[in-house]
Amino acid sequence: MRVIIVGGGVLGTMHAWQAVQRGHDVVQIEREAEARGASVRNFGLVWVSGRAPGAELDTALRARELWERIGDQVPGIGFRGNGSLTLCRTPEEIAVAQAAAEGPHAAARGFRIVDRAEAQKINPALRGDFAAALWCERDGAVESRVALPALRATLGATGAYRWVPGREVRALTDTGVRDDHGAHHTGDLVVLTTGAALSGLVRELAPELPVRRVWLQMAQTAPLGEPLTTSVADADSFRYYPAFRGPQLDALVTGQPQPPVAATHAMQLLMVQRLDGGLTIGDTHAYAEPFPFDQVEEPYEHLIDVASGLLGRALPPIRRRWHGVYAQCTDPAAVVHRQRIAGNAVLVTGPGGRGMTCSPAIAEQTATEMGW
């Protein structure tokens, strides 16, 4: 079978990976010269800790297994199973962490509460203001800026994969797709993984989608000068991720309001060290379109203050700032929106902030459902 993948991000690339692994030929078409969307504008986190029990957690755990397996085959993606520490400063924050560590899915996530001294043994760079932490052994990270080219190089070496950048797909036909250069690409199945680009052909084929777009801001610093041995989150992440819902979180939200800038921009701190030593930090969330075209400085100031406070030292200078947009399925029970839009085509979109984490397992599920 010949599979045409429309979209060059991580979700499309993982669908290409699954198809090639199952013995099929693949053509992957990307409208830009290189993927420029959410797949490269993220932390590179494989984030199991915050996922909702049920399908979301199951998908994340399976994806974590697949990322590690792929990392063995493609070292260039920079996979490491570094775990994470969510740092808690107050009794209310520790209560949320304790409830998670005692929950029914704690063992699957690798959760446990550690005191300040143990957290510093796990991650000696953390010398700031915190009392305890929630350790998640199953969290990991990849290098989002270089993972996709590394995966494509390995796919290309099989002889069953072709990368076609700089072509926008304009039409779906009975035998494939037609691009904006007038070229027709033939195949037996078309998989549209166009990320947050939901207009044009996608709107024509699927005008009503249970998907919204989300806008965020992030940054990367100069090298830290020492290892940050785990990924790091602050306790505001409890407010954002569904794994932590419960009476303890309700008490935290009621009794410990976020600072105004964090509340206005729906913020949490996530921090992961890149292989070059720099730190990716973020992020904000905006849900109402039209999104701003400019970046706002106050959220960056907040992130710098929080990160510096947890590290117990000045954060290295910010070298890069950016914003991104991702597509999020609005059905809380669905990890992704997967829809057959023609006899020979399926649309896969809306993983939200789970795209980098869950894409290997989402692609595996598509392959199973499509009978590849």
Side-chain angles (χ1 to χ4, degrees):
M1 181 170 69
R2 192 177 202 208
V3 181
I4 300 173
I5 309 292
V6 180
V10 68
L11 193 56
T13 304
M14 284 301 172
H15 278 81
W17 183 271
Q18 279 290 324
V20 170
Q21 291 287 304
R22 293 166 186 250
H24 304 302
D25 292 329
V26 171
V27 175
Q28 186 175 15
I29 307 171
E30 163 59 38
R31 63 179 181 168
E32 303 280 356
E34 178 59 81
R36 308 297 293 167
S39 295
V40 297
R41 303 187 190 202
N42 62 46
F43 298 95
L45 290 170
V46 182
W47 200 248
V48 172
S49 53
R51 304 303 169 199
E56 185 176 332
L57 177 58
D58 292 344
T59 302
L61 287 168
R62 175 58 178 163
R64 170 63 171 79
E65 295 177 12
L66 293 172
W67 270 120
E68 186 167 7
R69 187 182 304 171
I70 294 167
D72 290 338
Q73 297 174 257
V74 191
I77 69 172
F79 174 81
R80 59 268 193 197
N82 59 338
S84 73
L85 288 167
T86 300
L87 304 181
C88 304
R89 297 175 295 108
T90 68
E92 292 82 3
E93 293 171 354
I94 294 171
V96 178
Q98 190 69 50
E102 295 172 354
H105 305 286
R109 302 177 199 263
F111 272 166
R112 63 185 175 92
I113 291 287
V114 297
D115 62 18
R116 177 185 172 87
E118 188 172 0
Q120 289 180 310
K121 288 180 182 178
I122 296 170
N123 192 336
L126 300 172
R127 297 185 288 271
D129 176 23
F130 68 95
L134 180 64
W135 163 247
C136 180
E137 184 271 337
R138 296 302 293 159
D139 285 340
V142 298
E143 290 299 288
S144 53
R145 288 175 180 260
V146 299
L148 298 182
L151 288 165
R152 292 200 305 267
T154 300
L155 286 168
T158 67
Y161 171 86
R162 185 163 63 94
W163 167 245
V164 184
R167 301 291 183 103
E168 183 173 349
V169 171
R170 292 288 180 83
L172 174 69
T173 73
D174 292 339
T175 56
V177 298
R178 183 171 289 107
D179 69 28
D180 58 352
H181 288 57
H184 187 260
H185 307 268
T186 60
D188 304 292
L189 177 67
V190 177
V191 183
L192 284 90
T193 55
T194 58
L198 300 173
S199 59
L201 179 63
V202 173
R203 181 168 295 147
E204 179 183 330
L205 296 171
E208 299 294 332
L209 288 174
V211 175
R212 66 177 177 179
R213 304 199 315 156
V214 181
W215 189 93
L216 54 84
Q217 290 184 208
M218 295 176 60
Q220 188 166 324
T221 75
L224 182 64
E226 62 181 313
L228 189 75
T229 57
T230 71
S231 300
V232 174
D234 77 340
D236 276 348
S237 66
F238 292 149
R239 305 168 189 260
Y240 181 74
Y241 287 108
F244 304 107
R245 292 171 184 160
Q248 294 82 7
L249 179 60
D250 294 341
L252 172 65
V253 170
T254 301
Q256 187 178 307
Q258 287 184 290
V261 65
T264 298
H265 296 279
M267 294 185 68
Q268 60 178 339
L269 172 72
L270 296 176
M271 180 164 58
V272 59
Q273 190 169 45
R274 304 270 61 96
L275 293 181
D276 68 0
L279 304 176
T280 299
I281 61 171
D283 57 353
T284 67
H285 300 88
Y287 304 99
E289 297 197 54
F291 297 132
F293 60 84
D294 49 0
Q295 297 177 37
V296 185
E297 192 61 26
E298 288 83 358
Y300 288 115
E301 294 171 352
H302 175 77
L303 290 170
I304 291 167
D305 287 345
V306 173
S308 298
L310 297 178
L311 290 169
R313 53 168 286 186
L315 198 70
I318 290 181
R319 297 300 190 211
R320 298 187 181 107
R321 302 170 191 259
W322 66 91
H323 67 263
V325 179
Y326 61 73
Q328 181 182 60
C329 184
T330 55
D331 179 356
V335 177
V336 71
H337 180 69
R338 188 181 289 105
Q339 177 180 341
R340 176 76 81 161
I341 53 176
N344 65 335
V346 61
L347 171 67
V348 186
T349 188
R354 303 169 290 216
M356 184 60 79
T357 293
C358 292
S359 56
I362 292 171
E364 183 181 61
Q365 292 163 3
T366 301
T368 300
E369 289 187 19
M370 297 295 105
W372 293 3

Coordinates of all heavy atoms in Angstrom, one line a residue, residues 95-142:
A95 N -0.3 19.0 49.4 CA -1.5 18.1 49.5 C -1.9 17.6 48.2 O -2.4 16.4 48.0 CB -2.6 18.9 50.2
V96 N -1.9 18.4 47.1 CA -2.2 18.0 45.8 C -1.3 16.9 45.3 O -1.7 15.9 44.8 CB -2.3 19.2 44.8 CG1 -2.6 18.7 43.4 CG2 -3.3 20.2 45.2
A97 N 0.0 17.2 45.5 CA 1.0 16.2 45.1 C 0.9 14.9 45.9 O 1.0 13.8 45.3 CB 2.4 16.8 45.4
Q98 N 0.6 15.0 47.2 CA 0.4 13.8 48.0 C -0.8 12.9 47.5 O -0.7 11.7 47.4 CB 0.2 14.1 49.5 CG 0.2 13.0 50.4 CD 1.6 12.4 50.6 OE1 2.6 13.1 50.8 NE2 1.7 11.1 50.4
A99 N -1.9 13.6 47.2 CA -3.1 12.9 46.7 C -2.7 12.2 45.4 O -3.2 11.0 45.1 CB -4.2 13.9 46.4
A100 N -2.0 12.8 44.5 CA -1.6 12.2 43.2 C -0.7 11.0 43.5 O -0.8 9.9 42.9 CB -0.8 13.2 42.3
A101 N 0.3 11.1 44.5 CA 1.2 10.0 44.8 C 0.5 8.8 45.4 O 1.0 7.7 45.4 CB 2.3 10.5 45.7
E102 N -0.7 9.0 46.0 CA -1.4 8.0 46.6 C -2.6 7.5 45.8 O -3.4 6.6 46.2 CB -2.0 8.5 48.0 CG -0.9 8.8 49.0 CD -1.4 9.5 50.2 OE1 -2.6 9.8 50.3 OE2 -0.6 9.7 51.2
G103 N -2.7 8.0 44.6 CA -3.8 7.7 43.7 C -3.7 6.4 43.0 O -2.6 5.7 43.0
P104 N -4.7 5.9 42.4 CA -4.7 4.5 41.8 C -3.8 4.4 40.6 O -3.4 3.2 40.3 CB -6.2 4.3 41.4 CG -6.7 5.7 41.2 CD -6.0 6.5 42.2
H105 N -3.4 5.5 40.0 CA -2.5 5.4 38.8 C -1.1 5.8 39.1 O -0.3 6.0 38.2 CB -3.1 6.2 37.7 CG -4.5 5.8 37.3 ND1 -4.8 4.7 36.7 CD2 -5.6 6.5 37.6 CE1 -6.1 4.6 36.5 NE2 -6.7 5.7 37.1
A106 N -0.8 6.0 40.4 CA 0.6 6.5 40.8 C 1.7 5.6 40.3 O 2.7 6.0 39.8 CB 0.6 6.7 42.3
A107 N 1.5 4.3 40.5 CA 2.6 3.3 40.1 C 2.8 3.4 38.6 O 4.0 3.3 38.2 CB 2.2 1.9 40.6
A108 N 1.8 3.4 37.8 CA 2.0 3.5 36.4 C 2.7 4.7 35.9 O 3.5 4.6 35.0 CB 0.6 3.4 35.7
R109 N 2.5 5.8 36.6 CA 3.2 7.1 36.3 C 4.6 7.1 36.9 O 5.4 7.9 36.5 CB 2.4 8.3 36.8 CG 1.0 8.4 36.2 CD 0.3 9.6 36.8 NE -1.1 9.5 36.7 CZ -1.9 10.1 35.8 NH1 -1.3 10.8 34.9 NH2 -3.2 10.0 35.8
G110 N 4.9 6.3 37.9 CA 6.1 6.4 38.7 C 6.1 7.6 39.6 O 7.1 8.2 39.8
F111 N 5.0 7.9 40.2 CA 4.8 9.0 41.2 C 5.3 8.6 42.5 O 5.1 7.5 43.1 CB 3.4 9.3 41.3 CG 2.8 10.3 40.3 CD1 1.4 10.5 40.2 CD2 3.6 11.1 39.5 CE1 0.9 11.4 39.4 CE2 3.1 12.0 38.6 CZ 1.7 12.2 38.6
R112 N 6.0 9.5 43.2 CA 6.2 9.5 44.6 C 6.6 10.9 45.1 O 7.2 11.7 44.4 CB 7.2 8.5 45.1 CG 8.6 8.7 44.6 CD 9.5 7.5 45.0 NE 10.9 7.6 44.4 CZ 11.9 8.2 45.1 NH1 11.7 8.7 46.3 NH2 13.1 8.2 44.5
I113 N 6.3 11.2 46.4 CA 6.6 12.4 47.0 C 8.0 12.3 47.5 O 8.4 11.3 48.1 CB 5.7 12.7 48.2 CG1 4.3 13.0 47.7 CG2 6.2 13.9 49.0 CD1 4.1 14.4 47.0
V114 N 8.8 13.3 47.3 CA 10.2 13.4 47.8 C 10.3 14.7 48.6 O 9.7 15.7 48.2 CB 11.3 13.3 46.7 CG1 11.2 12.0 46.0 CG2 11.1 14.4 45.7
D115 N 11.1 14.7 49.6 CA 11.3 15.9 50.4 C 12.4 16.8 49.7 O 13.0 16.3 48.6 CB 11.7 15.6 51.8 CG 13.0 14.8 52.0 OD1 13.8 14.8 51.0 OD2 13.2 14.3 53.1
R116 N 12.7 17.9 50.2 CA 13.6 18.8 49.6 C 15.0 18.2 49.4 O 15.6 18.3 48.3 CB 13.7 20.1 50.4 CG 14.7 21.1 49.8 CD 14.9 22.3 50.8 NE 16.0 23.2 50.3 CZ 15.9 24.1 49.4 NH1 14.7 24.4 48.8 NH2 16.9 24.9 49.1
A117 N 15.5 17.5 50.4 CA 16.8 16.9 50.3 C 16.9 15.9 49.2 O 17.9 15.8 48.5 CB 17.2 16.3 51.7
E118 N 15.8 15.0 49.1 CA 15.9 14.0 48.1 C 15.7 14.6 46.7 O 16.3 14.1 45.8 CB 14.8 12.9 48.4 CG 14.9 11.8 47.4 CD 14.0 10.6 47.8 OE1 13.2 10.7 48.7 OE2 14.0 9.6 47.0
A119 N 14.9 15.6 46.6 CA 14.7 16.3 45.3 C 16.1 16.9 44.8 O 16.4 16.8 43.7 CB 13.7 17.4 45.4
Q120 N 16.9 17.4 45.8 CA 18.2 17.9 45.4 C 19.2 16.9 45.1 O 20.1 17.1 44.3 CB 18.7 18.8 46.5 CG 17.9 20.1 46.7 CD 18.3 21.0 47.8 OE1 18.5 20.6 48.9 NE2 18.6 22.3 47.4
K121 N 19.0 15.7 45.6 CA 19.9 14.6 45.2 C 19.6 14.2 43.8 O 20.4 13.8 43.0 CB 19.7 13.4 46.2 CG 20.3 13.6 47.5 CD 20.1 12.3 48.4 CE 20.6 12.5 49.8 NZ 20.4 11.3 50.7
I122 N 18.3 14.2 43.5 CA 17.8 13.8 42.1 C 18.3 14.9 41.1 O 18.7 14.6 40.0 CB 16.3 13.6 42.0 CG1 15.9 12.4 42.9 CG2 15.8 13.4 40.6 CD1 14.4 12.3 43.1
N123 N 18.1 16.1 41.5 CA 18.4 17.3 40.6 C 19.2 18.3 41.4 O 18.6 19.2 42.0 CB 17.1 17.8 40.0 CG 17.4 18.8 38.9 OD1 18.5 19.4 38.8 ND2 16.4 18.9 38.0
P124 N 20.5 18.2 41.5 CA 21.3 19.2 42.4 C 21.2 20.6 41.9 O 21.5 21.5 42.7 CB 22.7 18.6 42.2 CG 22.6 17.2 41.8 CD 21.4 17.2 40.9
A125 N 20.7 20.9 40.7 CA 20.6 22.3 40.3 C 19.5 23.1 41.0 O 19.4 24.3 40.9 CB 20.4 22.4 38.8
L126 N 18.6 22.4 41.7 CA 17.5 23.0 42.3 C 17.9 23.4 43.8 O 17.8 22.6 44.7 CB 16.3 22.0 42.4 CG 15.8 21.6 41.0 CD1 14.7 20.4 41.1 CD2 15.2 22.7 40.2
R127 N 18.2 24.7 43.9 CA 18.7 25.2 45.2 C 17.8 26.3 45.7 O 18.2 27.1 46.5 CB 20.1 25.6 45.0 CG 21.1 24.5 44.7 CD 22.5 24.9 44.7 NE 22.8 25.8 43.5 CZ 23.2 25.3 42.3 NH1 23.3 24.0 42.1 NH2 23.5 26.2 41.4
G128 N 16.6 26.4 45.2 CA 15.8 27.6 45.5 C 14.7 27.3 46.5 O 14.8 26.4 47.4
D129 N 13.6 28.0 46.4 CA 12.5 28.0 47.4 C 11.5 27.0 47.0 O 10.5 27.2 46.2 CB 11.9 29.4 47.4 CG 10.7 29.5 48.3 OD1 10.6 28.7 49.2 OD2 9.8 30.4 48.1
F130 N 11.6 25.8 47.7 CA 10.6 24.8 47.6 C 10.7 23.9 48.8 O 11.8 23.8 49.4 CB 10.6 24.0 46.3 CG 11.8 23.1 46.1 CD1 11.8 21.8 46.5 CD2 13.0 23.7 45.6 CE1 12.9 21.0 46.3 CE2 14.2 22.9 45.5 CZ 14.1 21.5 45.8
A131 N 9.7 23.2 49.2 CA 9.7 22.3 50.4 C 9.7 20.8 50.1 O 10.2 20.0 50.8 CB 8.5 22.7 51.3
A132 N 9.1 20.5 48.9 CA 8.9 19.1 48.6 C 8.7 19.0 47.1 O 8.5 20.1 46.4 CB 7.8 18.4 49.3
A133 N 8.6 17.8 46.5 CA 8.3 17.7 45.1 C 7.6 16.4 44.8 O 7.7 15.4 45.5 CB 9.7 17.7 44.3
L134 N 6.9 16.4 43.7 CA 6.3 15.2 43.1 C 7.2 14.7 42.0 O 7.4 15.3 41.0 CB 4.9 15.5 42.6 CG 4.2 14.3 41.9 CD1 3.9 13.2 43.0 CD2 2.9 14.7 41.2
W135 N 7.8 13.5 42.2 CA 8.7 12.9 41.3 C 7.9 12.0 40.3 O 7.1 11.2 40.8 CB 9.8 12.1 42.0 CG 10.5 11.1 41.2 CD1 10.5 9.7 41.3 CD2 11.5 11.3 40.1 NE1 11.3 9.1 40.4 CE2 11.9 10.0 39.7 CE3 11.9 12.5 39.5 CZ2 12.9 9.9 38.7 CZ3 12.9 12.3 38.5 CH2 13.3 11.1 38.1
C136 N 8.1 12.1 39.0 CA 7.5 11.3 38.1 C 8.5 10.6 37.2 O 9.2 11.2 36.4 CB 6.5 12.0 37.1 SG 5.7 11.0 35.9
E137 N 8.7 9.3 37.5 CA 9.8 8.5 36.9 C 9.6 8.3 35.4 O 10.5 8.2 34.6 CB 10.0 7.2 37.6 CG 11.1 6.3 37.1 CD 10.7 5.4 36.0 OE1 9.5 5.1 35.8 OE2 11.6 5.0 35.2
R138 N 8.3 8.3 34.9 CA 8.0 8.0 33.5 C 8.1 9.1 32.5 O 8.0 8.9 31.3 CB 6.6 7.4 33.4 CG 6.5 6.1 34.2 CD 7.4 5.0 33.7 NE 7.1 4.6 32.3 CZ 8.0 4.0 31.5 NH1 9.3 3.8 31.9 NH2 7.7 3.6 30.3
D139 N 8.3 10.4 33.0 CA 8.4 11.5 32.1 C 9.7 11.4 31.4 O 10.7 10.9 31.9 CB 8.3 12.8 32.8 CG 6.8 13.1 33.2 OD1 5.9 12.5 32.6 OD2 6.6 13.9 34.1
G140 N 9.8 12.0 30.2 CA 11.0 12.0 29.4 C 11.0 13.3 28.5 O 10.2 14.2 28.6
A141 N 12.0 13.3 27.6 CA 12.1 14.4 26.7 C 12.8 14.0 25.4 O 13.6 13.1 25.4 CB 12.9 15.6 27.4
V142 N 12.6 14.8 24.4 CA 13.3 14.6 23.1 C 13.6 16.1 22.7 O 13.2 17.0 23.2 CB 12.4 13.9 22.0 CG1 12.1 12.5 22.4 CG2 11.2 14.7 21.7

